[in-house]
PDB file of all heavy atoms in Angstrom:
ATOM      1  N   ASP A   1      91.533  72.945 118.857  1.00 94.00           N
ATOM      2  CA  ASP A   1      90.823  72.632 117.607  1.00 94.00           C
ATOM      3  C   ASP A   1      89.954  73.824 117.157  1.00 94.00           C
ATOM      4  O   ASP A   1      89.948  74.175 116.001  1.00 94.00           O
ATOM      5  CB  ASP A   1      90.018  71.398 117.746  1.00 94.00           C
ATOM      6  CG  ASP A   1      89.493  70.863 116.438  1.00 94.00           C
ATOM      7  OD1 ASP A   1      90.309  70.795 115.463  1.00 94.00           O
ATOM      8  OD2 ASP A   1      88.279  70.543 116.372  1.00 94.00           O
ATOM      9  N   LYS A   2      89.292  74.439 118.089  1.00 93.00           N
ATOM     10  CA  LYS A   2      88.481  75.608 117.789  1.00 93.00           C
ATOM     11  C   LYS A   2      89.307  76.784 117.356  1.00 93.00           C
ATOM     12  O   LYS A   2      88.986  77.482 116.391  1.00 93.00           O
ATOM     13  CB  LYS A   2      87.633  76.073 118.989  1.00 93.00           C
ATOM     14  CG  LYS A   2      86.493  75.107 119.339  1.00 93.00           C
ATOM     15  CD  LYS A   2      85.812  75.522 120.600  1.00 93.00           C
ATOM     16  CE  LYS A   2      84.797  74.502 121.016  1.00 93.00           C
ATOM     17  NZ  LYS A   2      84.190  74.820 122.362  1.00 93.00           N
ATOM     18  N   VAL A   3      90.477  76.962 117.977  1.00 92.00           N
ATOM     19  CA  VAL A   3      91.386  78.005 117.611  1.00 92.00           C
ATOM     20  C   VAL A   3      91.891  77.794 116.170  1.00 92.00           C
ATOM     21  O   VAL A   3      91.864  78.732 115.321  1.00 92.00           O
ATOM     22  CB  VAL A   3      92.628  78.119 118.543  1.00 92.00           C
ATOM     23  CG1 VAL A   3      93.738  79.011 117.967  1.00 92.00           C
ATOM     24  CG2 VAL A   3      92.172  78.615 119.937  1.00 92.00           C
ATOM     25  N   CYS A   4      92.206  76.541 115.822  1.00 94.00           N
ATOM     26  CA  CYS A   4      92.660  76.222 114.470  1.00 94.00           C
ATOM     27  C   CYS A   4      91.584  76.514 113.447  1.00 94.00           C
ATOM     28  O   CYS A   4      91.845  77.079 112.368  1.00 94.00           O
ATOM     29  CB  CYS A   4      93.165  74.819 114.367  1.00 94.00           C
ATOM     30  SG  CYS A   4      94.742  74.559 115.164  1.00 94.00           S
ATOM     31  N   ASP A   5      90.356  76.117 113.748  1.00 95.00           N
ATOM     32  CA  ASP A   5      89.235  76.347 112.796  1.00 95.00           C
ATOM     33  C   ASP A   5      89.087  77.837 112.532  1.00 95.00           C
ATOM     34  O   ASP A   5      88.922  78.257 111.414  1.00 95.00           O
ATOM     35  CB  ASP A   5      87.965  75.731 113.324  1.00 95.00           C
ATOM     36  CG  ASP A   5      87.949  74.206 113.225  1.00 95.00           C
ATOM     37  OD1 ASP A   5      88.813  73.629 112.448  1.00 95.00           O
ATOM     38  OD2 ASP A   5      87.120  73.562 113.889  1.00 95.00           O
ATOM     39  N   THR A   6      89.064  78.629 113.628  1.00 93.00           N
ATOM     40  CA  THR A   6      88.830  80.038 113.445  1.00 93.00           C
ATOM     41  C   THR A   6      90.014  80.702 112.764  1.00 93.00           C
ATOM     42  O   THR A   6      89.773  81.627 111.946  1.00 93.00           O
ATOM     43  CB  THR A   6      88.547  80.768 114.806  1.00 93.00           C
ATOM     44  OG1 THR A   6      89.604  80.512 115.676  1.00 93.00           O
ATOM     45  CG2 THR A   6      87.274  80.217 115.384  1.00 93.00           C
ATOM     46  N   LEU A   7      91.233  80.292 113.019  1.00 94.00           N
ATOM     47  CA  LEU A   7      92.355  80.785 112.301  1.00 94.00           C
ATOM     48  C   LEU A   7      92.314  80.541 110.794  1.00 94.00           C
ATOM     49  O   LEU A   7      92.692  81.392 110.007  1.00 94.00           O
ATOM     50  CB  LEU A   7      93.727  80.284 112.906  1.00 94.00           C
ATOM     51  CG  LEU A   7      94.123  80.863 114.236  1.00 94.00           C
ATOM     52  CD1 LEU A   7      95.401  80.169 114.685  1.00 94.00           C
ATOM     53  CD2 LEU A   7      94.309  82.381 114.168  1.00 94.00           C
ATOM     54  N   GLN A   8      91.875  79.321 110.483  1.00 96.00           N
ATOM     55  CA  GLN A   8      91.763  78.955 109.070  1.00 96.00           C
ATOM     56  C   GLN A   8      90.714  79.808 108.364  1.00 96.00           C
ATOM     57  O   GLN A   8      90.935  80.276 107.229  1.00 96.00           O
ATOM     58  CB  GLN A   8      91.504  77.496 108.872  1.00 96.00           C
ATOM     59  CG  GLN A   8      92.689  76.601 109.194  1.00 96.00           C
ATOM     60  CD  GLN A   8      92.379  75.132 109.300  1.00 96.00           C
ATOM     61  OE1 GLN A   8      91.192  74.728 109.239  1.00 96.00           O
ATOM     62  NE2 GLN A   8      93.408  74.347 109.342  1.00 96.00           N
ATOM     63  N   LYS A   9      89.590  80.093 109.043  1.00 95.00           N
ATOM     64  CA  LYS A   9      88.554  80.963 108.481  1.00 95.00           C
ATOM     65  C   LYS A   9      89.068  82.402 108.286  1.00 95.00           C
ATOM     66  O   LYS A   9      88.845  83.010 107.250  1.00 95.00           O
ATOM     67  CB  LYS A   9      87.313  80.953 109.355  1.00 95.00           C
ATOM     68  CG  LYS A   9      86.563  79.654 109.320  1.00 95.00           C
ATOM     69  CD  LYS A   9      85.364  79.691 110.265  1.00 95.00           C
ATOM     70  CE  LYS A   9      84.604  78.373 110.295  1.00 95.00           C
ATOM     71  NZ  LYS A   9      83.552  78.375 111.272  1.00 95.00           N
ATOM     72  N   GLU A  10      89.783  82.883 109.289  1.00 94.00           N
ATOM     73  CA  GLU A  10      90.321  84.206 109.209  1.00 94.00           C
ATOM     74  C   GLU A  10      91.379  84.311 108.102  1.00 94.00           C
ATOM     75  O   GLU A  10      91.460  85.312 107.342  1.00 94.00           O
ATOM     76  CB  GLU A  10      91.072  84.635 110.534  1.00 94.00           C
ATOM     77  CG  GLU A  10      90.177  85.166 111.575  1.00 94.00           C
ATOM     78  CD  GLU A  10      89.417  86.414 111.154  1.00 94.00           C
ATOM     79  OE1 GLU A  10      89.931  87.285 110.358  1.00 94.00           O
ATOM     80  OE2 GLU A  10      88.267  86.594 111.603  1.00 94.00           O
ATOM     81  N   LEU A  11      92.144  83.276 107.923  1.00 95.00           N
ATOM     82  CA  LEU A  11      93.169  83.249 106.866  1.00 95.00           C
ATOM     83  C   LEU A  11      92.500  83.312 105.517  1.00 95.00           C
ATOM     84  O   LEU A  11      92.938  84.030 104.587  1.00 95.00           O
ATOM     85  CB  LEU A  11      94.042  81.985 106.949  1.00 95.00           C
ATOM     86  CG  LEU A  11      95.128  81.864 105.886  1.00 95.00           C
ATOM     87  CD1 LEU A  11      96.141  83.011 106.023  1.00 95.00           C
ATOM     88  CD2 LEU A  11      95.819  80.491 105.992  1.00 95.00           C
ATOM     89  N   ARG A  12      91.421  82.522 105.320  1.00 95.00           N
ATOM     90  CA  ARG A  12      90.700  82.599 104.019  1.00 95.00           C
ATOM     91  C   ARG A  12      90.115  83.996 103.773  1.00 95.00           C
ATOM     92  O   ARG A  12      90.168  84.476 102.619  1.00 95.00           O
ATOM     93  CB  ARG A  12      89.559  81.529 104.020  1.00 95.00           C
ATOM     94  CG  ARG A  12      90.111  80.151 103.792  1.00 95.00           C
ATOM     95  CD  ARG A  12      88.991  79.123 103.473  1.00 95.00           C
ATOM     96  NE  ARG A  12      88.038  78.924 104.535  1.00 95.00           N
ATOM     97  CZ  ARG A  12      88.125  78.063 105.523  1.00 95.00           C
ATOM     98  NH1 ARG A  12      89.208  77.248 105.571  1.00 95.00           N
ATOM     99  NH2 ARG A  12      87.236  77.918 106.478  1.00 95.00           N
ATOM    100  N   LEU A  13      89.610  84.615 104.780  1.00 93.00           N
ATOM    101  CA  LEU A  13      89.090  85.968 104.619  1.00 93.00           C
ATOM    102  C   LEU A  13      90.193  86.913 104.263  1.00 93.00           C
ATOM    103  O   LEU A  13      90.069  87.736 103.342  1.00 93.00           O
ATOM    104  CB  LEU A  13      88.420  86.437 105.908  1.00 93.00           C
ATOM    105  CG  LEU A  13      87.917  87.870 105.946  1.00 93.00           C
ATOM    106  CD1 LEU A  13      86.817  88.096 104.942  1.00 93.00           C
ATOM    107  CD2 LEU A  13      87.390  88.205 107.332  1.00 93.00           C
ATOM    108  N   LYS A  14      91.332  86.849 104.962  1.00 94.00           N
ATOM    109  CA  LYS A  14      92.442  87.731 104.653  1.00 94.00           C
ATOM    110  C   LYS A  14      93.064  87.456 103.304  1.00 94.00           C
ATOM    111  O   LYS A  14      93.549  88.363 102.652  1.00 94.00           O
ATOM    112  CB  LYS A  14      93.538  87.655 105.739  1.00 94.00           C
ATOM    113  CG  LYS A  14      93.018  88.272 107.065  1.00 94.00           C
ATOM    114  CD  LYS A  14      93.958  88.213 108.156  1.00 94.00           C
ATOM    115  CE  LYS A  14      93.560  88.799 109.435  1.00 94.00           C
ATOM    116  NZ  LYS A  14      92.258  89.417 109.628  1.00 94.00           N
ATOM    117  N   GLN A  15      92.948  86.265 102.815  1.00 94.00           N
ATOM    118  CA  GLN A  15      93.385  85.911 101.453  1.00 94.00           C
ATOM    119  C   GLN A  15      92.539  86.624 100.415  1.00 94.00           C
ATOM    120  O   GLN A  15      93.013  87.215  99.431  1.00 94.00           O
ATOM    121  CB  GLN A  15      93.388  84.416 101.262  1.00 94.00           C
ATOM    122  CG  GLN A  15      93.983  83.993  99.963  1.00 94.00           C
ATOM    123  CD  GLN A  15      94.208  82.507  99.905  1.00 94.00           C
ATOM    124  OE1 GLN A  15      93.813  81.794 100.858  1.00 94.00           O
ATOM    125  NE2 GLN A  15      94.792  82.013  98.836  1.00 94.00           N
ATOM    126  N   VAL A  16      91.219  86.615 100.611  1.00 92.00           N
ATOM    127  CA  VAL A  16      90.252  87.296  99.708  1.00 92.00           C
ATOM    128  C   VAL A  16      90.564  88.830  99.739  1.00 92.00           C
ATOM    129  O   VAL A  16      90.593  89.424  98.698  1.00 92.00           O
ATOM    130  CB  VAL A  16      88.805  87.011 100.128  1.00 92.00           C
ATOM    131  CG1 VAL A  16      87.854  87.893  99.394  1.00 92.00           C
ATOM    132  CG2 VAL A  16      88.505  85.541  99.832  1.00 92.00           C
ATOM    133  N   ILE A  17      90.798  89.299 100.911  1.00 90.00           N
ATOM    134  CA  ILE A  17      91.085  90.777 101.042  1.00 90.00           C
ATOM    135  C   ILE A  17      92.407  91.101 100.252  1.00 90.00           C
ATOM    136  O   ILE A  17      92.402  92.054  99.486  1.00 90.00           O
ATOM    137  CB  ILE A  17      91.239  91.188 102.502  1.00 90.00           C
ATOM    138  CG1 ILE A  17      89.889  91.053 103.252  1.00 90.00           C
ATOM    139  CG2 ILE A  17      91.780  92.595 102.620  1.00 90.00           C
ATOM    140  CD1 ILE A  17      90.019  91.118 104.733  1.00 90.00           C
ATOM    141  N   THR A  18      93.404  90.287 100.453  1.00 90.00           N
ATOM    142  CA  THR A  18      94.713  90.540  99.811  1.00 90.00           C
ATOM    143  C   THR A  18      94.546  90.448  98.268  1.00 90.00           C
ATOM    144  O   THR A  18      95.146  91.258  97.595  1.00 90.00           O
ATOM    145  CB  THR A  18      95.732  89.521 100.283  1.00 90.00           C
ATOM    146  OG1 THR A  18      95.871  89.666 101.735  1.00 90.00           O
ATOM    147  CG2 THR A  18      97.112  89.782  99.705  1.00 90.00           C
ATOM    148  N   GLU A  19      93.782  89.499  97.789  1.00 88.00           N
ATOM    149  CA  GLU A  19      93.580  89.365  96.371  1.00 88.00           C
ATOM    150  C   GLU A  19      92.803  90.490  95.683  1.00 88.00           C
ATOM    151  O   GLU A  19      92.978  90.784  94.550  1.00 88.00           O
ATOM    152  CB  GLU A  19      92.895  88.021  96.112  1.00 88.00           C
ATOM    153  CG  GLU A  19      93.773  86.808  96.375  1.00 88.00           C
ATOM    154  CD  GLU A  19      92.944  85.523  96.345  1.00 88.00           C
ATOM    155  OE1 GLU A  19      91.682  85.558  96.132  1.00 88.00           O
ATOM    156  OE2 GLU A  19      93.583  84.430  96.456  1.00 88.00           O
ATOM    157  N   ASN A  20      91.993  91.177  96.516  1.00 86.00           N
ATOM    158  CA  ASN A  20      91.061  92.108  95.917  1.00 86.00           C
ATOM    159  C   ASN A  20      91.298  93.584  96.257  1.00 86.00           C
ATOM    160  O   ASN A  20      90.823  94.449  95.536  1.00 86.00           O
ATOM    161  CB  ASN A  20      89.623  91.753  96.238  1.00 86.00           C
ATOM    162  CG  ASN A  20      89.194  90.475  95.681  1.00 86.00           C
ATOM    163  OD1 ASN A  20      89.327  90.257  94.490  1.00 86.00           O
ATOM    164  ND2 ASN A  20      88.743  89.514  96.508  1.00 86.00           N
ATOM    165  N   ILE A  21      91.958  93.896  97.334  1.00 84.00           N
ATOM    166  CA  ILE A  21      92.015  95.267  97.796  1.00 84.00           C
ATOM    167  C   ILE A  21      92.702  96.177  96.804  1.00 84.00           C
ATOM    168  O   ILE A  21      92.359  97.344  96.614  1.00 84.00           O
ATOM    169  CB  ILE A  21      92.589  95.419  99.196  1.00 84.00           C
ATOM    170  CG1 ILE A  21      92.319  96.796  99.801  1.00 84.00           C
ATOM    171  CG2 ILE A  21      94.087  95.063  99.214  1.00 84.00           C
ATOM    172  CD1 ILE A  21      92.497  96.902 101.276  1.00 84.00           C
ATOM    173  N   ALA A  22      93.786  95.699  96.156  1.00 80.00           N
ATOM    174  CA  ALA A  22      94.534  96.542  95.222  1.00 80.00           C
ATOM    175  C   ALA A  22      93.773  96.838  93.908  1.00 80.00           C
ATOM    176  O   ALA A  22      94.049  97.844  93.259  1.00 80.00           O
ATOM    177  CB  ALA A  22      95.876  95.940  94.939  1.00 80.00           C
ATOM    178  N   HIS A  23      92.802  95.997  93.613  1.00 79.00           N
ATOM    179  CA  HIS A  23      92.085  96.142  92.336  1.00 79.00           C
ATOM    180  C   HIS A  23      90.718  96.840  92.515  1.00 79.00           C
ATOM    181  O   HIS A  23      90.069  97.108  91.542  1.00 79.00           O
ATOM    182  CB  HIS A  23      91.925  94.800  91.643  1.00 79.00           C
ATOM    183  CG  HIS A  23      93.223  94.120  91.445  1.00 79.00           C
ATOM    184  ND1 HIS A  23      94.109  94.523  90.493  1.00 79.00           N
ATOM    185  CD2 HIS A  23      93.754  93.026  92.071  1.00 79.00           C
ATOM    186  CE1 HIS A  23      95.198  93.699  90.493  1.00 79.00           C
ATOM    187  NE2 HIS A  23      95.001  92.833  91.483  1.00 79.00           N
ATOM    188  N   CYS A  24      90.375  97.028  93.711  1.00 79.00           N
ATOM    189  CA  CYS A  24      89.055  97.569  94.029  1.00 79.00           C
ATOM    190  C   CYS A  24      88.955  99.062  93.712  1.00 79.00           C
ATOM    191  O   CYS A  24      89.862  99.799  93.992  1.00 79.00           O
ATOM    192  CB  CYS A  24      88.703  97.333  95.484  1.00 79.00           C
ATOM    193  SG  CYS A  24      87.062  97.801  95.902  1.00 79.00           S
ATOM    194  N   ARG A  25      87.866  99.489  93.069  1.00 77.00           N
ATOM    195  CA  ARG A  25      87.619 100.892  92.757  1.00 77.00           C
ATOM    196  C   ARG A  25      86.505 101.512  93.550  1.00 77.00           C
ATOM    197  O   ARG A  25      86.375 102.740  93.605  1.00 77.00           O
ATOM    198  CB  ARG A  25      87.286 101.019  91.282  1.00 77.00           C
ATOM    199  CG  ARG A  25      88.335 100.511  90.326  1.00 77.00           C
ATOM    200  CD  ARG A  25      89.275 101.569  90.019  1.00 77.00           C
ATOM    201  NE  ARG A  25      90.238 101.097  89.029  1.00 77.00           N
ATOM    202  CZ  ARG A  25      91.409 101.621  88.849  1.00 77.00           C
ATOM    203  NH1 ARG A  25      91.790 102.662  89.563  1.00 77.00           N
ATOM    204  NH2 ARG A  25      92.202 101.146  87.971  1.00 77.00           N
ATOM    205  N   ASP A  26      85.786 100.680  94.259  1.00 80.00           N
ATOM    206  CA  ASP A  26      84.644 101.158  95.032  1.00 80.00           C
ATOM    207  C   ASP A  26      85.081 101.589  96.444  1.00 80.00           C
ATOM    208  O   ASP A  26      85.677 100.816  97.176  1.00 80.00           O
ATOM    209  CB  ASP A  26      83.622 100.028  95.127  1.00 80.00           C
ATOM    210  CG  ASP A  26      82.362 100.425  95.872  1.00 80.00           C
ATOM    211  OD1 ASP A  26      82.219 101.661  96.251  1.00 80.00           O
ATOM    212  OD2 ASP A  26      81.520  99.579  96.139  1.00 80.00           O
ATOM    213  N   GLU A  27      84.868 102.823  96.777  1.00 81.00           N
ATOM    214  CA  GLU A  27      85.297 103.392  98.048  1.00 81.00           C
ATOM    215  C   GLU A  27      84.774 102.617  99.237  1.00 81.00           C
ATOM    216  O   GLU A  27      85.476 102.332 100.183  1.00 81.00           O
ATOM    217  CB  GLU A  27      84.891 104.838  98.166  1.00 81.00           C
ATOM    218  CG  GLU A  27      85.622 105.780  97.229  1.00 81.00           C
ATOM    219  CD  GLU A  27      85.108 107.218  97.335  1.00 81.00           C
ATOM    220  OE1 GLU A  27      84.506 107.544  98.418  1.00 81.00           O
ATOM    221  OE2 GLU A  27      85.322 108.012  96.428  1.00 81.00           O
ATOM    222  N   ASN A  28      83.528 102.297  99.205  1.00 86.00           N
ATOM    223  CA  ASN A  28      82.845 101.567 100.311  1.00 86.00           C
ATOM    224  C   ASN A  28      83.464 100.178 100.463  1.00 86.00           C
ATOM    225  O   ASN A  28      83.673  99.706 101.585  1.00 86.00           O
ATOM    226  CB  ASN A  28      81.348 101.506 100.089  1.00 86.00           C
ATOM    227  CG  ASN A  28      80.709 102.887 100.159  1.00 86.00           C
ATOM    228  OD1 ASN A  28      81.168 103.741 100.875  1.00 86.00           O
ATOM    229  ND2 ASN A  28      79.655 103.052  99.384  1.00 86.00           N
ATOM    230  N   LEU A  29      83.710  99.515  99.365  1.00 87.00           N
ATOM    231  CA  LEU A  29      84.227  98.103  99.405  1.00 87.00           C
ATOM    232  C   LEU A  29      85.654  98.115  99.927  1.00 87.00           C
ATOM    233  O   LEU A  29      86.061  97.243 100.680  1.00 87.00           O
ATOM    234  CB  LEU A  29      84.143  97.454  98.027  1.00 87.00           C
ATOM    235  CG  LEU A  29      84.439  95.973  97.979  1.00 87.00           C
ATOM    236  CD1 LEU A  29      83.585  95.218  98.967  1.00 87.00           C
ATOM    237  CD2 LEU A  29      84.227  95.443  96.553  1.00 87.00           C
ATOM    238  N   ILE A  30      86.442  99.128  99.556  1.00 85.00           N
ATOM    239  CA  ILE A  30      87.822  99.249 100.060  1.00 85.00           C
ATOM    240  C   ILE A  30      87.788  99.399 101.552  1.00 85.00           C
ATOM    241  O   ILE A  30      88.567  98.772 102.278  1.00 85.00           O
ATOM    242  CB  ILE A  30      88.576 100.446  99.401  1.00 85.00           C
ATOM    243  CG1 ILE A  30      88.813 100.171  97.957  1.00 85.00           C
ATOM    244  CG2 ILE A  30      89.886 100.727 100.077  1.00 85.00           C
ATOM    245  CD1 ILE A  30      89.403 101.369  97.184  1.00 85.00           C
ATOM    246  N   GLU A  31      86.874 100.190 102.084  1.00 88.00           N
ATOM    247  CA  GLU A  31      86.730 100.400 103.482  1.00 88.00           C
ATOM    248  C   GLU A  31      86.345  99.083 104.195  1.00 88.00           C
ATOM    249  O   GLU A  31      86.790  98.795 105.293  1.00 88.00           O
ATOM    250  CB  GLU A  31      85.733 101.497 103.815  1.00 88.00           C
ATOM    251  CG  GLU A  31      86.226 102.874 103.481  1.00 88.00           C
ATOM    252  CD  GLU A  31      87.399 103.365 104.333  1.00 88.00           C
ATOM    253  OE1 GLU A  31      87.519 102.885 105.464  1.00 88.00           O
ATOM    254  OE2 GLU A  31      88.158 104.137 103.811  1.00 88.00           O
ATOM    255  N   VAL A  32      85.473  98.344 103.573  1.00 89.00           N
ATOM    256  CA  VAL A  32      85.046  97.066 104.089  1.00 89.00           C
ATOM    257  C   VAL A  32      86.235  96.113 104.186  1.00 89.00           C
ATOM    258  O   VAL A  32      86.406  95.406 105.200  1.00 89.00           O
ATOM    259  CB  VAL A  32      83.888  96.407 103.275  1.00 89.00           C
ATOM    260  CG1 VAL A  32      83.653  94.994 103.653  1.00 89.00           C
ATOM    261  CG2 VAL A  32      82.626  97.252 103.440  1.00 89.00           C
ATOM    262  N   TYR A  33      87.048  96.059 103.110  1.00 88.00           N
ATOM    263  CA  TYR A  33      88.237  95.212 103.131  1.00 88.00           C
ATOM    264  C   TYR A  33      89.201  95.576 104.312  1.00 88.00           C
ATOM    265  O   TYR A  33      89.656  94.721 105.044  1.00 88.00           O
ATOM    266  CB  TYR A  33      89.000  95.290 101.836  1.00 88.00           C
ATOM    267  CG  TYR A  33      88.392  94.575 100.669  1.00 88.00           C
ATOM    268  CD1 TYR A  33      88.402  95.079  99.356  1.00 88.00           C
ATOM    269  CD2 TYR A  33      87.655  93.390 100.875  1.00 88.00           C
ATOM    270  CE1 TYR A  33      87.853  94.478  98.274  1.00 88.00           C
ATOM    271  CE2 TYR A  33      87.071  92.732  99.790  1.00 88.00           C
ATOM    272  CZ  TYR A  33      87.174  93.268  98.526  1.00 88.00           C
ATOM    273  OH  TYR A  33      86.610  92.615  97.440  1.00 88.00           O
ATOM    274  N   ALA A  34      89.466  96.845 104.455  1.00 88.00           N
ATOM    275  CA  ALA A  34      90.374  97.314 105.531  1.00 88.00           C
ATOM    276  C   ALA A  34      89.808  96.989 106.875  1.00 88.00           C
ATOM    277  O   ALA A  34      90.477  96.555 107.777  1.00 88.00           O
ATOM    278  CB  ALA A  34      90.614  98.813 105.359  1.00 88.00           C
TER     279      ALA A  34
END
């Protein structure tokens, strides 16, 4: 159950990264996403 909860949180984070990394213009924020 703990593994599932943490995987779901990681998935949400990776979804935000995927949605934003291509449109980001800020060098520091791009590095944070990566």
Side-chain angles (χ1 to χ4, degrees):
D1 191 46
K2 289 176 188 174
V3 168
C4 285
D5 287 343
T6 57
L7 285 178
Q8 288 171 350
K9 289 177 184 178
E10 276 300 326
L11 180 65
R12 284 192 295 271
L13 176 63
K14 288 180 180 3
Q15 187 170 3
V16 169
I17 294 167
T18 303
E19 291 170 354
N20 293 306
I21 195 167
H23 303 289
C24 185
R25 301 271 185 202
D26 182 7
E27 292 178 19
N28 294 327
L29 190 55
I30 290 173
E31 290 292 335
V32 168
Y33 286 146

